[in-house]
Amino acid sequence: MMNWWLRYRDWLHTRWPAGRVEKLPVVGEDGETHVSGLRIVGDLGGAPLLKFASDTGARAVRAILRQPRFPPAQGKDPDCFDLAIIGGGVSGVSAAIEAVRCGLRYVLFESSEPFSTVVNFPRGKPIFTYPTDMTPAGGLQYPERANAKEPLLEELRWQLDESEIEVLSGKVEKVERRRGEFLVRRAGEAAPPVRALRVIVAIGRSGSFRKLGVPGEDLDKVTNRLHDPRDFQGQDVLVVGGGDSALETASGLACCGARVTLSYRGPEFSRPKPENIERVRALEADPETKVCLESPSSERVGSTADSGMRGDAPPGFLRVEFGSEVECIEPETARLRFSGGREPQSLPNDAVFVMTGREPPLDFLRKSGLRIRGDRTRWWWLSLIVVLALFTFIYHWKGNAPVLPVRKWFAANQWFSFNLRDWLAGFGGPWTDPAQFLGA
């Protein structure tokens, strides 16, 4: 039976309204993959929320310990770790804490710094630790409701230090399974690979940012990250996307005095958290709404105390354009096209934030021999050819097609179904009378 986060993953990534299946690794319960001994947890496994991601990391370690004859009681190789964890985000750190609790020899790889996803959130970003009534498995825990990025990051780092988790810096290029163990190969290093009996991959969506594929996307004003919304006070900004990141970016910028247009191709928001949708609607209805005063990301323009902003700056606003897509980006404007017959519109523009997410790290996954949902493998092509050949044969067998006279061949040689009448005649009686049910 699938557990709760598998159901959440399937809803989020395989049945969402975009009409396509996201390319993600094929992951089963407790992070299992078709590569025996290798598990995938966290956002890459389809559990993007912090509590869900932490929970999957700890549960993956517990599932490994339930396997028979693990860890081996005798004959341990001192140069081979029990567990290699790739990725130092919340799911990877949670797995490492659980490994320490269970007495496993582990190694934790991180290419940048622990909790780098949280570190790269915008300054003061509100972070919702959903579900509020859930306690994740393992030792990494969260306050009931974190109001901003900074105190949450401080709390996570404190727990990392308290658990005495060691982090090995380095980017892993691929994982190979060989003779009952794994070889973890790091990029650009001549050192021998790290050996481990089991591997947990917790690298998240560390692939490249998704592109719009429109002219002007390579301009300097186009970016995928917002560090401090106060830098865009008084500017015309376009935010593209319909997820939590896009809505949080748009509302943060509007609260700091930017004139924001939020472009989303769908007819309505369906995926973001309710709080983010309510905040955007409130800002769209009233730029001076109190949600900005309550927002941890900034203070409203005009309340200059401790904000470092100009008190004479014009107030910001937020406008949502549903059913719109970016047509092109120019140095001083951005052009939107609309569904439903609306005329394209050029907007004054100083900055564009493309908040449409990242592509999964497919290169790493494929090098490591992992199956990707939606990939067209050689077996996919072989089955397609077989099915097409079968239906082509049936089509020509049923009718007198001039291209392949299959029906004529079968009739001339008295093959099925032309020999059926003679074969049934041997049964006699109702089998030979078309007026009878069996004969018909």
Side-chain angles (χ1 to χ4, degrees), residues 21-61:
V21 174
E22 284 195 84
K23 284 187 175 293
L24 288 172
V26 179
V27 180
E29 194 163 357
D30 293 325
E32 278 188 310
T33 67
H34 80 284
V35 179
S36 179
L38 189 152
R39 295 172 184 264
I40 294 178
V41 299
D43 191 8
L44 189 60
L49 299 181
L50 293 178
K51 283 187 175 181
F52 284 5
S54 296
D55 189 85
T56 59
R59 289 185 184 277
V61 176

Side-chain angles (χ1 to χ4, degrees), residues 85-412:
I85 304 168
I86 304 171
V90 293
S91 55
V93 170
S94 177
I97 293 175
E98 192 68 16
V100 171
R101 286 183 168 187
C102 298
L104 298 179
R105 292 184 63 244
Y106 76 95
V107 57
L108 173 61
F109 296 95
E110 170 53 46
S111 60
S112 54
E113 62 177 305
F115 311 117
S116 59
T117 299
V118 181
V119 171
N120 289 320
F121 284 157
R123 176 184 177 274
K125 168 185 165 72
I127 300 177
F128 305 97
T129 51
Y130 283 123
T132 55
D133 58 347
M134 173 194 172
T135 301
L140 192 64
Q141 297 297 320
Y142 301 85
E144 290 186 5
R145 181 185 178 93
N147 291 323
K149 155 193 163 179
E150 287 76 14
L152 175 62
L153 184 59
E154 183 180 351
E155 171 66 22
L156 292 175
R157 285 171 170 168
W158 179 85
Q159 293 186 56
L160 179 69
D161 294 338
E162 283 292 301
S163 302
E164 299 182 349
I165 300 298
E166 296 182 7
V167 181
L168 184 61
S169 179
K171 183 177 181 179
V172 175
E173 186 177 55
K174 64 178 178 178
V175 177
E176 298 177 8
R177 182 168 176 81
R178 187 174 299 177
R179 293 189 296 272
E181 64 182 32
F182 290 92
L183 304 180
V184 181
R185 299 188 182 277
R186 286 169 283 181
E189 293 191 11
V194 174
R195 297 163 54 211
L197 297 176
R198 299 289 186 272
V199 172
I200 290 178
V201 176
I203 56 179
R205 304 296 187 88
S206 57
S208 58
F209 288 100
R210 291 194 177 102
K211 297 289 187 180
L212 296 175
V214 300
E217 191 173 9
D218 57 347
L219 292 173
D220 290 339
K221 69 175 184 177
V222 182
T223 184
N224 307 94
R225 285 180 176 173
L226 172 63
H227 295 288
D228 193 338
R230 296 180 300 180
D231 295 338
F232 299 89
Q233 175 182 292
Q235 297 187 20
D236 295 298
V237 182
L238 174 65
V239 179
V240 183
D244 283 310
S245 296
L247 270 63
E248 290 166 0
T249 298
S251 59
L253 287 163
C255 285
C256 286
R259 298 180 292 274
V260 183
T261 300
L262 176 58
S263 169
Y264 179 47
R265 62 183 180 180
E268 61 182 12
F269 298 123
S270 59
R271 301 179 67 192
K273 301 180 185 72
E275 287 87 346
N276 285 328
I277 296 177
E278 291 173 9
R279 183 184 295 272
V280 166
R281 288 173 176 167
L283 282 167
E284 191 176 20
D286 179 12
E288 300 292 336
T289 179
K290 66 177 182 178
V291 298
C292 285
L293 296 174
E294 296 169 352
S295 171
S297 61
S298 66
E299 293 185 285
R300 282 291 302 158
V301 174
S303 295
T304 57
D306 301 322
S307 67
M309 295 186 286
R310 301 192 316 270
D312 58 347
F317 69 81
L318 175 59
R319 178 181 64 186
V320 181
E321 293 287 2
F322 290 111
S324 66
E325 295 185 65
V326 179
E327 189 174 81
C328 65
I329 302 171
E330 298 175 343
E332 296 182 357
T333 61
R335 187 172 178 83
L336 297 181
R337 63 173 177 268
F338 300 89
S339 59
R342 287 178 59 188
E343 290 293 325
Q345 183 179 2
S346 289
L347 309 173
N349 180 257
D350 300 301
V352 177
F353 288 90
V354 182
M355 312 303 285
T356 53
R358 291 173 178 256
E359 295 291 350
L362 300 179
D363 187 52
F364 166 81
L365 298 174
R366 288 170 178 146
K367 284 182 179 178
S368 301
L370 291 161
R371 290 177 184 166
I372 310 297
R373 182 187 291 111
D375 263 4
R376 295 179 177 179
T377 64
R378 59 184 178 181
W379 298 112
W380 186 93
W381 286 108
L382 179 61
S383 64
L384 176 65
I385 292 171
V386 169
V387 169
L388 288 176
L390 175 63
F391 282 98
T392 300
F393 166 80
I394 293 174
Y395 175 79
H396 289 84
W397 173 70
K398 290 178 63 179
N400 291 312
V403 180
L404 292 176
V406 176
R407 183 180 177 84
K408 291 182 179 180
W409 298 339
F410 272 62

Side-chain angles (χ1 to χ4, degrees), residues 64-105:
I64 290 172
L65 287 167
R66 289 195 297 268
Q67 295 177 330
R69 297 181 297 279
F70 184 87
Q74 298 178 348
K76 277 193 173 184
D77 186 341
D79 296 326
C80 184
F81 290 95
D82 295 326
L83 177 63
I85 304 168
I86 304 171
V90 293
S91 55
V93 170
S94 177
I97 293 175
E98 192 68 16
V100 171
R101 286 183 168 187
C102 298
L104 298 179
R105 292 184 63 244

